[in-house]
Amino acid sequence: MASENDIHMDTFIPYMRDVARCERSLHELNLMWRLIESSAKMHCAEEAHSMLPMMAATREGFQRLEKDLVHSMVSESVSEVLSEIATCAHHVIDIVVRNLYERTADVGFLATDLTLCNYVAGISDQPGIIDRLREYQRKYTVYDEIMLLDLAGTVIAQIDETSPVDGSHDPLLAQTLASHSFVETFRYSNLRPHQSQALLYTQRMLHPQTGQPCGVLCLSFDFLGEMAGIFAGSSAADGRCVALLLNAHNQVLASSDAHWIAPGTTVPTNQNGAPHLYTHSGRTYLVQTVEAGAYQGYPGPAGWKGQVMIPVEQAFGTKRMRCVDSLSPEVAQGLLAHAQSFCPPLYDIIQAADAIRRVVWNGQVMTAGQRGGSSRLKAVLEQIGETGARTNHVFTQSIRDLYDTVLSAGLRDSQSLTQLLVDMLDRNLYERANDCRWWALSPVLRQLLTPSHAQGSAYTALRDQATHVLEHINSLYTVYTRLMVYDRSGRILCASHPQLADGSSVLEQQIDSATLQAVMQLSDSQSYHVSTWSAQHVGAEGATYVYHAPIRAMDNTVSTVGGIAIVFNAIPELQAMLNSALVGKPKTRALYVNRQGLVLASTDPTAPSGSTIALPAAQIQPLLQVQAGASHAAIAVHQQQYCILGASVSLGYREFKTSDGYHDDVLAISVETFGQVETNAQTPDAASHAIHATSNGLQGMEMATFYVGQQLFALHAESVLEALPAAAISTVSAGRLPFCVGTLPRHTQGQVTGYVWVFDLAELLTGQRSRVTAQSQVVVLEHGERKLGVLVDALHGVHHFAQESIIAAPRMAGGTELLVNELIQANQGALLVQCISPQGLLHALQRKPQDTHQATPT
């Protein structure tokens, strides 16, 4: 039975030009190998008898590989797009939920504001009540309206003069008066008559003397403005896809492009991430839908979801980040060696392609020396050579394209992830800057610091009342370690949670002089001061930011009588942001760092808060120098691991860090690891050893080429019997045989026909034992009556070189038999290939190991 996550290949291939091109090439090669096999059977069956098993094996391997490679290319391309748009959908809903959580705290706190409660209860008739509401809105610019209503629903104060409301009987008012908590409402309400939908937060207000409900506070959230900002900061901003906020009925509440998909539209969803296509309004899309996750226990409005839809014709049309070509060969090949862990289909394809390459290589070796036979056999042999070379090229390019798809997806995902992290951070810190300024306007705190109240029992009562206010605030805003009020001299008079972890108290301690001076110089109620990141601030219990605002005198003069300091519980809060963004990413770590590389918070145990990010200068500088609003991603080596490094810096949020005078760039950095760097890895780079053209005539030599480390070697093809996978070596003791790594069975028609000793050619040449990898091969050769195998790092090809391109190797002193007796000047002399002499090889294997590599030509 087909799984719901199965990909329907024929559905996607028409939209993937690269995959379609690869599929055609593979199909043509498959047909060519079939044609060669059929031609050999029909026209020269007797002469080609020894090659027919090779041809059959090639055909069978091709049938499997053609299907698997195309399937993997389609699957990885679809996965890349789904991952990208899923991250964007997470961005939408996660930012919304975190923002609205702050609103639930705001309405709960403001509803207890004594000045407002006295006004609503009719205890005082203050003409400045509108100014107080506007003062709040100036700091919390996310609200487009603040209202006070009495028990009958009559509006007794509001700040939006463009949308006057006399009163309302909206059922949400009765619901609010009956509730002990806030009420969240999103729909049309005549409280906001000019909006089709309003996001309202309401809380009942209690009479200061009786404790009974006396009215309702209503905060109207700037929903459309906030969503426009979220969409602008997401990857949907490039216009290739549309980002949506949906309700429980899959109706669009907000759209990144209302002309494309308008609010109110019902759209298909894909909450399980299945790789299916969905049709909406005659257009076909890939879709990712993400449900809201709870933040600080707040689940968000019921049923809200983030969704991104990308038209299938846009999804695969443009390769925006070609990364493999920019990698050094060592990193590209080293990272590819870990394909089994980060992309199993890619690993399987590489293994299958290597198996077919070996079969083709063996077939070409097998035909060596037979070109002088019948014209019909010569035609078959030439086709094998040409088709084998083309097969290698198609395999190399197809695997490279698949590899690039996987890495490009990782690079884009790291950019999206870090962008989400900096957006979450700046929106969070925006609230902290607002909180300190608003709480500085508390009448109780202002009275406490007024000189006329600073004595006797009245002062004690005020201090107790101020402490109660701070404790109440801290109970609603749990992101703070403590809140402290200090006088003009910096002496802390009262605080929430005054006792420190060591048992001492913050009371009577001093704010540092530099901070105090900065706060005393702030000119108005919109100004605030943020301490540098440190664990040394009074009242801090770990490295953090402390937000300060001046407290003005009660007579409404501009004189500053003290200040309020709110100590952000930074590391746990930043840690929670990092952890929430890394759900489902077990190989990724994330950090917040400043421009100097100081780690503020981290999920990497090797880079805890307070450390300096440990990256080489060539890697860290591009990250730390990313401009505000930009992102950067690169493949690098970090802590001896191949990884993708990503970094983003946000542009700020609303007025925070954009126009309020505060600047403190924090970067989000992600590190996705792929595997350990093998310091002794010798993975060859095929691209730098391509042999562009060889002789096809009869006057020349056929050479079987292979790698030892990064160097290309050759044997006369007529002396080679076959190549076999090194994984089949049995590591048995070889007595006193030097350089021997074991034995290898040889097969004919599925039956073992004998064994050969296998010798490590790299150890013979360099004195260093080879590391056997998935690409390692054993080349079996014959000289006289002797058969033996040599361990090599990878196969290269079988080529026909013109006689004039082969020269004798310079002889070494002593006249001993040369291990390398010829040099091949390939590519018009640009590439030098060392040719191994079988006689010299046998002679070298009989010498002492410590003497062998010293006498080998280089």
Side-chain angles (χ1 to χ4, degrees), residues 806-812 818-823 834-835 857-858:
I806 303 173
I807 62 174
R811 297 194 65 82
M812 302 292 292
L818 288 178
L819 177 57
V820 174
N821 66 337
E822 292 175 313
L823 300 176
Q834 302 178 67
C835 188
T858 58

Side-chain angles (χ1 to χ4, degrees), residues 109-124 129 148 204-208 214:
F109 170 71
L110 192 57
T112 65
D113 183 90
L114 187 58
T115 303
L116 301 184
C117 288
N118 281 334
Y119 179 79
V120 173
I123 297 174
S124 63
I129 202 69
L148 300 177
R204 70 182 186 182
M205 304 176 74
L206 303 181
H207 194 291
C214 62

Side-chain angles (χ1 to χ4, degrees), residues 5 82 268-276 278 286-290 307:
N5 288 324
L82 289 177
T269 61
N270 180 24
Q271 291 178 239
N272 62 4
H276 298 162
Y278 296 82
L286 278 166
V287 178
Q288 283 285 56
T289 312
V290 177
Q307 176 159 304

Side-chain angles (χ1 to χ4, degrees), residues 141-144 195 199 220-227 654:
T141 55
V142 294
Y143 298 114
D144 55 26
Q195 295 183 8
L199 182 52
S220 175
F221 182 63
D222 179 19
F223 176 73
L224 294 180
E226 177 64 15
M227 293 309 304
R654 293 183 176 266

Side-chain angles (χ1 to χ4, degrees), residues 54-74:
M54 177 275 296
M55 297 180 189
T58 303
R59 169 176 48 79
E60 292 169 1
F62 235 109
Q63 287 176 337
R64 294 189 299 270
L65 185 59
E66 180 183 8
K67 176 182 177 181
D68 292 346
L69 181 54
V70 172
H71 184 279
S72 293
M73 293 181 78
V74 171

